[in-house]
Each structure stands twice: as C-alpha cells, then as structure tokens.
C-alpha cells in the first residue's frame, strides 16, 4: 500500500502549479488517513471542477490509478478528465 500511497501523492503533485496548493494538499492528505480512494477522487474532482488542463500522460496515470483502486472509470470526474486533455 505504501507504493500506491506514493503514486497518489505523485499524481497530485503533478498539478501543484495548476491548482490551488491548499486544495490540492488537503486532498493528498487523505492518503495519510488510509483514504487512498478519497484522496484520488478528490484530486480528480478538483481538476474537473476548476477545468485544469492535463496531458494525455496525466490522464493515463489517472486511469491506471482508478483501476488499481478498483474505482468506476465511468465516474463523472474521471470521465470529465478526458475533456481536459491538451496537446
């Protein structure tokens, strides 16, 4: 689980310059309370809510994490990430 925790932290840190740092850190901190899914979902919610542009690589990382966490890839936040992809 430590490896997955670190992957979620790294994923969140990818958006430090594109999303409010306090919002992002608050979401990442859920990992410290064994709330990996909530941390990941909150990061994705913030990305979607604030229309943060993401790369295809970041999207692919999100999909991989979603599957690893056994979450629904059809969740509205995850689906919306695809629309945020920029070249």
């Amino acid at each position: 689980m430590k490896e997955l925790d670190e992957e979620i932290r790294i994923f969140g840190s990818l958006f430090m310059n594109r999303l409010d740092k306090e919002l992002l850190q608050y979401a990442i901190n859920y990992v410290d309370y064994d709330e990996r899914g909530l941390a990941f979902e909150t990061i994705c919610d913030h990305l979607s809510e604030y229309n943060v542009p993401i790369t295809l690589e970041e999207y692919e990382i999100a999909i991989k994490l979603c599957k690893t966490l056994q979450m629904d890839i059809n969740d509205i936040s995850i689906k919306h990430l695809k629309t945020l992809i920029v070249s």
Side-chain angles (χ1 to χ4, degrees), residues 49-84:
E49 184 176 339
Y50 295 101
N51 289 311
V52 176
I54 65 171
T55 65
L56 179 58
E57 182 181 3
E58 291 164 341
Y59 174 75
E60 290 170 349
I61 293 168
I63 294 300
K64 178 182 172 259
L65 284 170
C66 186
K67 289 178 181 178
T68 301
L69 290 163
Q70 299 179 342
M71 298 176 78
D72 183 5
I73 61 170
N74 292 313
D75 178 89
I76 191 70
S77 293
I78 304 300
K79 286 181 86 168
H80 187 257
L81 289 181
K82 193 168 192 173
T83 67
L84 301 174

Side-chain angles (χ1 to χ4, degrees), residues 10-83:
I10 291 169
F11 176 70
S13 71
L14 294 172
F15 307 103
M16 281 293 185
N17 294 323
R18 290 178 271 167
L19 189 60
D20 180 81
K21 288 181 183 180
E22 286 185 37
L23 275 178
L24 193 53
Q25 193 57 55
Y26 187 77
I28 293 169
N29 285 344
Y30 282 123
V31 171
D32 296 333
Y33 300 101
D34 294 325
E35 294 288 349
R36 293 160 196 86
L38 183 57
F40 173 71
E41 185 176 35
T42 303
I43 294 166
C44 292
D45 285 346
H46 289 327
L47 293 172
S48 293
E49 184 176 339
Y50 295 101
N51 289 311
V52 176
I54 65 171
T55 65
L56 179 58
E57 182 181 3
E58 291 164 341
Y59 174 75
E60 290 170 349
I61 293 168
I63 294 300
K64 178 182 172 259
L65 284 170
C66 186
K67 289 178 181 178
T68 301
L69 290 163
Q70 299 179 342
M71 298 176 78
D72 183 5
I73 61 170
N74 292 313
D75 178 89
I76 191 70
S77 293
I78 304 300
K79 286 181 86 168
H80 187 257
L81 289 181
K82 193 168 192 173
T83 67

